[in-house]
Amino acid sequence: MYLLTALISGALFGAGLFISGMTDTSKVQGWLDVFGAWDPTLAFVMGGAMIPMIIAWIITGRMTSALNGAQFPPKNTSRADPKLITGSVLFGAGWALAGLCPGPSIASLSYGGPMHWTFVAAMLVGMLFAPMVTSRLFKNA
Amino acid sequence: MEQDWIMGLLGGLIIGLAGAVYLLGNGRIMGASGIIGGLVDGSGRNSWLERVVFIAAVFAAPIVLMPLYTGVDTHITQNIWVVVIAGLLVGVGTRMANGCTSGHGVCGMSRLSFRGIMSTVFYILAGGITMVFFRHILEVI
């Protein structure tokens, strides 16, 4: 059952990213390029995605567990720490340079050509070394 | 342009639906970097099949939709160093921050998670500054 929901969710996610245009790097770079040819499409995507999710979070409040019996993820109420901010800044810089974030990088692999594969390969290497980099930078974390 | 916004909104709704299915069905946050990263660094070993199915579906969905579209395109830079550095930054940054556009952005902000909102503010700010610097000043992207 949980594999079927993962399949449906992944298929919807990939379809949504493709339909919305987020797999086109120029759409993402256009959103971030406030001083150039600014493209507000990403705000529509983000706004659209929030609607079902807000409803979903409300529904979780009325359920004791997810359909597969798992507990819902607790809200992390801790404050924003240097790790969160540093990671987000590094991510934002890479996001702008290529115009890709993790979801769209996978959704665009089938047609994006060698540069998209290169991006994903580098991203996987980054993810592999992330725990080491993080513990070096934030010794107490 | 207006048509892009409508497709953005429609695609966004589908992305949100994907997140809702994953949350209500499997009790998990649909965060692309977490789902991929957990496979790469081994932290998601216990749920590897669910992760692989999700990622495979994200990859495959655009292939199914492709015949309905003409002129699907992406505009990633052909400068391989920029692509590699971008990928590394996205990989390290999203794992350090424990989330990306889907986890912090779509899933986090929709439950008014302070950390999700802070992360989103900082990656968009960093992305905007990166665009100014690398597109308008250095002109490499």
Side-chain angles (χ1 to χ4, degrees):
Chain A
M1 218 299 274
Y2 73 101
L3 289 180
L4 183 67
T5 39
L7 181 75
I8 294 169
S9 173
L12 287 171
F13 187 45
L17 289 169
F18 182 74
I19 291 169
S20 65
M22 291 299 104
T23 47
D24 181 348
T25 58
S26 68
K27 285 249 161 273
V28 172
Q29 290 184 325
W31 157 258
L32 294 170
D33 193 9
V34 179
F35 298 103
W38 189 59
D39 182 343
T41 306
L42 191 141
F44 286 83
V45 181
M46 200 46 117
M50 302 277 275
I51 297 167
M53 275 312 295
I54 290 171
I55 297 169
W57 283 119
I58 293 171
I59 295 173
T60 62
R62 310 200 171 166
M63 290 167 74
T64 48
S65 70
L67 296 178
N68 70 342
Q71 289 300 304
F72 290 117
K75 192 167 170 176
N76 185 342
T77 52
S78 53
R79 295 165 59 183
D81 50 58
K83 215 162 65 169
L84 179 83
I85 303 301
T86 309
S88 300
V89 167
L90 296 177
F91 163 46
W95 189 39
L97 283 175
L100 287 172
C101 50
S105 76
I106 302 293
S108 61
L109 266 185
S110 59
Y111 63 92
M115 283 303 172
H116 282 238
W117 285 93
T118 306
F119 177 88
V120 170
M123 179 179 80
L124 296 179
V125 171
M127 285 178 167
L128 185 64
F129 285 100
M132 195 194 79
V133 175
T134 306
S135 62
R136 286 265 171 102
L137 276 179
F138 305 96
K139 291 212 166 61
N140 302 322
Chain B
M1 200 57 135
E2 283 78 8
Q3 207 209 328
D4 285 3
W5 301 351
I6 294 166
M7 292 316 277
L9 190 63
L10 178 68
L13 286 167
I14 298 171
I15 293 168
L17 192 61
V21 168
Y22 210 54
L23 178 65
L24 297 175
N26 291 9
R28 287 184 194 279
I29 302 268
M30 189 196 69
S33 59
I35 294 171
I36 303 166
L39 281 178
V40 176
D41 65 22
S43 60
R45 211 176 287 122
N46 296 332
S47 50
W48 69 274
L49 190 56
E50 180 184 355
R51 292 164 191 266
V52 169
V53 168
F54 180 89
I55 294 165
V58 173
F59 172 82
I63 301 175
V64 177
L65 291 174
M66 192 77 77
L68 306 174
Y69 284 78
T70 49
V72 173
D73 211 354
T74 177
H75 300 82
I76 197 166
T77 172
Q78 293 305 302
N79 182 331
I80 191 162
W81 295 111
V82 172
V83 173
V84 168
I85 290 165
L88 289 172
L89 285 170
V90 169
V92 171
T94 53
R95 293 302 279 159
M96 188 181 290
N98 207 15
C100 57
T101 347
S102 46
H104 278 314
V106 174
C107 298
M109 291 207 296
S110 60
R111 82 193 301 199
L112 293 177
S113 154
F114 179 68
R115 291 171 61 86
I117 295 167
M118 286 303 280
S119 171
T120 304
V121 166
F122 274 91
Y123 66 66
I124 290 180
L125 267 180
I129 294 167
T130 303
M131 285 307 285
V132 171
F133 199 71
F134 286 90
R135 173 163 287 177
H136 297 292
I137 298 175
L138 294 179
E139 297 180 355
V140 291
I141 53 172

